[in-house]
Amino acid sequence: MSDIYLFEKRISIKEEVKTYLGKVFYQMSAMAPHDFQSYEHMRILAKEKFGMSIIPSHLPAQSLE
């Protein structure tokens, strides 16, 4: 994915997508913890297909209470 330039500002499409996906995976894992494996699988696919290292959400799979 190449960068684009808009009014002398460089925008990295890869970094924008990586940030967006990391945020969405975290939010969705927090709202639906039972689906965390699906988001982990999507994170792995993004790394394999596009070379994106998306930060894992690090949310616990269950609570201790």
Side-chain angles (χ1 to χ4, degrees):
M1 290 181 246
S2 60
D3 296 344
I4 62 170
Y5 292 89
L6 185 62
F7 301 112
E8 298 180 5
K9 180 179 179 185
R10 186 180 69 111
I11 300 171
S12 174
I13 300 298
K14 185 175 182 176
E15 289 300 316
E16 293 292 326
V17 170
K18 188 166 86 170
T19 302
Y20 175 76
L21 288 177
K23 187 186 316 181
V24 168
F25 291 168
Y26 179 84
Q27 290 172 346
M28 297 307 289
S29 294
M31 290 191 314
H34 59 279
D35 286 338
F36 78 96
Q37 289 179 337
S38 298
Y39 304 115
E40 181 67 15
H41 183 64
M42 287 188 258
R43 187 182 69 77
I44 291 168
L45 282 174
K47 181 168 179 84
E48 289 175 358
K49 297 283 185 180
F50 303 109
M52 292 183 190
S53 296
I54 300 171
I55 298 172
S57 63
H58 295 295
L59 292 175
Q62 58 186 356
S63 68
L64 298 175
E65 292 184 36

